[in-house]
Amino acid sequence: MAEIEKMNLESEDLVEDRLAQLKELMPEVFTESGIDFDKLRLELGDEVDEGRERYAFTWPGKMDAIRQSQTPSTATLRPCVEKSRGRDGEDGSFDSDNIYIEGDNLEVLKLLQSGYHGKVKMIYIDPPYNTGHDFVYKDKFGDTIENYKEQAGLAGQSNADTSGRYHSDWCSMMYPRLRLARELLSDDGAIFVSIDDNEVTNLTKIMDDIFGERCRIALICHKARASVSNDKIISPNHNTVAFYAKSIEVLEAVRKEIGDDPCLDGFGEDDNDGRGPYRLVPVDGPGGAKKGNPHYEFLGVEGYWRFSLETMQDKYDEGLVVRRGNSLYQKYYQYKAIETRKTLTTWWDDAGLTSSATSKLKDLMGGPSFDTPKPLELIERMLKMITYADDSAIVLDFFSGSATTAHALMNINVEYGGNRQYILVQLPEATADNSAARGAGYLTLTEIGEERIRRAGDKIKAEIEEANAQPKLGEESKRLPDIGFRVFSLDNSGIEKPQPGQLVLDVVKPDRSDMDIVFEMMLKWGLELTLPVEKEEVAGYPVYSVACGELVCCLADGLTMEALDAIADMEPRRVLMRDSILTDTLKLNAVQAFRRVEERAGYEVQLRTV
């Protein structure tokens, strides 16, 4: 009987990946049974720290937190088409490039490693601040999905300050998630984390530990409140945003692309010479003599100038230098200013207040639904900084709350154009019984986030339709960005794992649909969850084709030799077959058919069964 490899149902093993990288770099330190650490120490030479005391950040539970990030997941993400929305705003459609995931972000971050490793341009998170009243996850080894379902129902649970592991619990929650998040970032990617004074010190140490102190770009002070609290010695009115690079060298190389929109004040319509609006800037500067600038007279004005006499004459001949009073000026055009990003500082007092964000969300939702949402302006500024030059960037928020990140990203796509995509993750935590959200009919935080995205998308669509109905002279019609999202829910694998000695004829769980299995295979094979999936018939047999043959899934009974040949003619790169539909003869023919595809197409066809 032909042997076809079984599909690996575990998420990517990051330890194995790092071992493979080390083996490529230092093959000589590996033995048949593992790593020869004595030899590794010799290879590292003086870089080995043998001292008993060393600077390090640790807490009770750190080793377990590291192991949590290393343990592969066997869970899956199930498509929820009925909760989803199409890219044009049609509910129940599943063609959007955006993703909303209901589930524990630790498991989800593990599952995303295969398909999104090194592909995320920007991460923003607003995690629990550990105030003693907010919810802090309690991760457990073992049956992580059952633990996740238990956690989702713990509305109102707080991390009490009376706990002996108050800060340790918070650090143990954040560390594995940030460690996995770093793996998802692209080399030119960046992460922003909002926090307040309760854990800002510990967050900075964790980020330094994972990303490296060199990759800490800034700790940004965001003015979040304008009101003054009179029951404190000093009233706090800011949050901190920790801003780190995946690689400081790579981000420094594209520094000119990073920043806020340029200031376009002073470019008046009256100052337009046919080359566009301009403003006048001096061609001399302070300290010109000390800087060694050339000294000469030009247009009757004597001074130390930024340019040589020859360059000044050329600019004057081109109409770029003019005299105003006793000074010389150069024309600085608006189109050049637009190309230059504005360098920001670490003090953000104009990026929205929490109070105004709450009011705006209340207006959008038709009533109160979520306490202390982040301001749109804050996240829009981060998106402008990092994704301005990348209009297909993937943005991740795995503590997504009221889905401000999705709303902000849609606004940026309207303003700049492009198809930036988001992946949002939120635990379907139950709303409190006496909360305004429960009173408005929202049973979970995910219901709030999904409804917020729908309403924000509807508002954008209405505004664009209104603008296109009354276009301004010379302006093109505005394009509707992707205002939809595909919803997925975290769950156990749809494939049963037989116990030793147990005979299971069909390992697919009876409560799982074909689409559940197709997306699980996409996830485990490392394919992006937004790829198109189509059901087709080949030689009378139904198959699911992902991205025109990147993956073909054969799940139905009645597979024939003719159908196998027809599938082979599609020249797929991956083929998944349900083991229960295969006979020994079909297995043998499948191996031979796809071997011929490999010879013809020049690439390996990955053939797997479940």
Side-chain angles (χ1 to χ4, degrees):
M1 182 183 75
E3 289 297 329
I4 302 176
E5 190 175 337
K6 292 283 186 181
M7 187 67 189
N8 180 13
L9 298 177
E10 289 190 340
S11 63
E12 184 172 328
D13 190 329
L14 296 180
V15 175
E16 287 294 326
D17 183 54
R18 291 188 174 181
L19 284 173
Q21 294 179 41
L22 181 60
K23 193 169 187 176
E24 186 175 341
L25 186 65
M26 295 181 175
E28 65 275 15
V29 305
F30 283 80
T31 67
E32 289 183 358
S33 57
I35 299 176
D36 184 337
F37 276 93
D38 289 333
K39 200 166 187 180
L40 178 61
R41 289 162 67 89
L42 284 172
E43 291 293 330
L44 295 176
D46 292 337
E47 295 301 317
V48 177
D49 186 350
E50 296 186 277
R52 289 188 176 184
E53 294 184 337
R54 62 177 66 91
Y55 178 79
F57 176 56
T58 190
W59 65 92
K62 183 176 182 180
M63 290 302 103
D64 278 347
I66 293 173
R67 283 192 288 270
Q68 285 281 12
S69 69
Q70 295 172 336
T71 306
S73 174
T74 57
T76 189
L77 298 176
R78 299 177 65 182
C80 304
V81 178
E82 69 284 356
K83 292 183 177 181
S84 301
R85 169 172 269 210
R87 58 188 307 113
D88 61 354
E90 180 185 355
D91 288 325
S93 182
F94 210 65
D95 64 352
S96 174
D97 288 332
N98 299 313
I99 296 173
Y100 188 99
I101 301 172
E102 300 178 351
D104 170 25
N105 50 22
L106 179 60
E107 289 299 299
V108 172
L109 288 168
K110 292 176 182 180
L111 294 175
L112 293 177
Q113 294 299 324
S114 294
Y116 295 90
H117 188 275
K119 294 182 180 179
V120 174
K121 186 66 174 280
M122 181 185 126
I123 296 173
Y124 170 73
I125 57 171
D126 182 29
Y129 288 179
N130 208 18
T131 60
H133 303 288
D134 48 1
F135 179 76
V136 173
Y137 298 59
K138 302 292 191 299
D139 303 317
K140 293 180 182 177
F141 290 102
D143 194 339
T144 52
I145 299 302
E146 287 307 311
N147 179 57
Y148 142 63
K149 291 178 179 178
E150 179 185 338
Q151 296 285 296
L154 295 176
Q157 172 177 298
S158 61
N159 192 30
D161 204 355
T162 56
S163 166
R165 292 172 59 93
Y166 176 67
H167 291 291
S168 296
D169 285 346
W170 188 88
C171 291
S172 291
M173 178 196 72
M174 292 299 296
Y175 196 89
R177 289 166 172 81
L178 288 168
R179 204 163 185 257
L180 290 164
R182 184 185 182 278
E183 297 296 324
L184 293 171
L185 277 176
S186 59
D187 288 343
D188 61 348
I191 181 171
F192 298 85
V193 184
S194 287
I195 201 69
D196 73 358
D197 289 352
N198 287 287
E199 295 291 355
V200 65
T201 304
N202 286 333
L203 174 70
T204 305
K205 290 177 180 177
I206 288 174
M207 299 286 281
D208 285 352
D209 204 49
I210 293 171
F211 288 83
E213 191 173 343
R214 290 183 64 253
C215 290
R216 187 204 309 158
I217 298 174
L219 296 179
I220 299 164
C221 287
H222 166 230
K223 183 179 179 181
R225 290 167 293 280
S227 59
V228 175
S229 176
N230 293 318
D231 60 347
K232 299 178 184 296
I233 294 175
I234 188 167
S235 181
N237 72 340
H238 80 282
N239 290 329
T240 299
V241 180
F243 176 22
Y244 281 71
K246 170 71 174 291
S247 167
I248 190 64
E249 291 81 9
V250 175
L251 214 60
E252 279 285 356
V254 294
R255 182 168 52 85
K256 291 185 178 180
E257 297 176 2
I258 298 172
D260 201 0
D261 287 335
C263 178
L264 300 181
D265 294 341
F267 294 97
E269 292 185 3
D270 293 339
D271 295 322
N272 190 327
D273 59 2
R275 286 174 281 200
Y278 64 86
R279 66 185 179 205
L280 297 176
V281 297
V283 289
D284 60 345
K290 291 182 180 179
K291 293 177 182 177
N293 288 353
H295 181 273
Y296 55 87
E297 180 183 316
F298 193 80
L299 297 181
V301 181
E302 186 176 338
Y304 291 91
W305 309 113
R306 297 177 186 270
F307 316 113
S308 67
L309 178 60
E310 293 77 11
T311 300
M312 185 79 88
Q313 185 65 52
D314 289 341
K315 287 181 175 291
Y316 176 75
D317 293 341
E318 293 175 28
L320 301 178
V321 170
V322 296
R323 175 175 174 170
R324 294 289 186 270
N326 290 323
S327 301
L328 299 183
Y329 296 89
Q330 179 181 205
K331 294 178 181 179
Y332 180 56
Y333 289 93
Q334 188 181 61
Y335 71 85
K336 286 194 172 183
I338 290 173
E339 295 171 357
T340 305
R341 307 301 292 163
K342 185 172 104 179
T343 301
L344 290 162
T345 71
T346 55
W347 173 240
W348 291 7
D349 60 352
D350 57 349
L353 300 174
T354 300
S355 57
S356 61
T358 303
S359 299
K360 289 177 183 178
L361 182 59
K362 182 179 177 181
D363 291 342
L364 179 69
M365 303 292 280
S369 59
F370 192 89
D371 295 331
T372 62
K374 277 293 172 282
L376 278 168
E377 300 90 335
L378 175 67
I379 303 177
E380 285 173 357
R381 174 167 291 180
M382 298 170 190
L383 290 167
K384 287 178 179 181
M385 288 179 67
I386 302 301
T387 73
Y388 170 76
D390 186 353
D391 62 7
S392 60
I394 297 175
V395 176
L396 171 65
D397 182 347
F398 52 91
F399 284 99
S400 65
S402 67
T404 308
T405 297
H407 191 167
L409 185 137
M410 289 190 291
N411 286 347
I412 293 298
N413 279 338
V414 171
E415 183 175 354
Y416 289 155
N419 189 39
R420 296 163 188 82
Q421 306 155 43
Y422 62 77
I423 301 174
L424 264 55
V425 187
Q426 176 59 45
L427 188 79
E429 180 188 343
T431 55
D433 291 336
N434 59 351
S435 65
R438 180 64 65 88
Y442 300 110
L443 301 181
T444 64
L445 294 187
T446 53
E447 290 182 8
I448 297 172
E450 290 162 10
E451 181 62 18
R452 194 244 180 99
I453 301 172
R454 291 189 191 97
R455 293 188 179 220
D458 288 343
K459 185 173 184 288
I460 288 170
K461 187 174 184 178
E463 290 171 349
I464 288 177
E465 288 176 349
E466 183 180 353
N468 288 341
Q470 298 177 329
K472 294 182 180 179
L473 185 64
E475 282 190 359
E476 295 182 0
S477 296
K478 292 186 176 181
R479 184 185 66 87
L480 179 69
D482 185 346
I483 58 171
F485 53 97
R486 298 188 186 196
V487 177
F488 293 87
S489 64
L490 179 68
D491 209 335
N492 287 304
S493 171
I495 310 299
E496 292 279 8
K497 187 176 181 180
Q499 299 300 316
Q502 181 185 17
L503 179 62
V504 178
L505 296 178
D506 189 356
V507 294
V508 176
K509 294 178 180 177
D511 66 336
R512 300 305 166 96
S513 68
D514 285 350
M515 289 293 279
D516 287 334
I517 302 305
V518 170
F519 275 94
E520 180 166 359
M521 296 305 107
M522 291 170 63
L523 194 66
K524 299 304 168 63
W525 236 313
L527 297 176
E528 294 183 8
L529 295 172
T530 52
L531 292 175
V533 179
E534 295 182 359
K535 188 174 183 179
E536 304 177 12
E537 278 207 2
V538 290
Y541 180 78
V543 300
Y544 292 90
S545 176
V546 179
C548 301
E550 280 295 319
L551 167 62
V552 174
C553 294
C554 308
L555 302 174
D557 292 330
L559 182 63
T560 63
M561 303 288 191
E562 292 77 16
L564 272 176
D565 289 336
I567 294 167
D569 288 340
M570 296 169 66
E571 297 190 349
R573 290 186 174 272
R574 303 168 185 84
V575 178
L576 185 282
M577 296 186 291
R578 198 167 177 162
D579 201 49
S580 61
I581 68 173
L582 294 174
T583 64
D584 289 352
T585 303
L586 281 173
K587 285 185 179 180
L588 181 61
N589 278 273
V591 171
Q592 293 174 345
F594 294 111
R595 190 170 292 154
R596 290 193 294 271
V597 173
E598 292 177 342
E599 293 171 356
R600 184 170 69 246
Y603 54 76
E604 179 190 1
V605 178
Q606 298 178 42
L607 182 60
R608 302 286 187 273
T609 64
V610 291

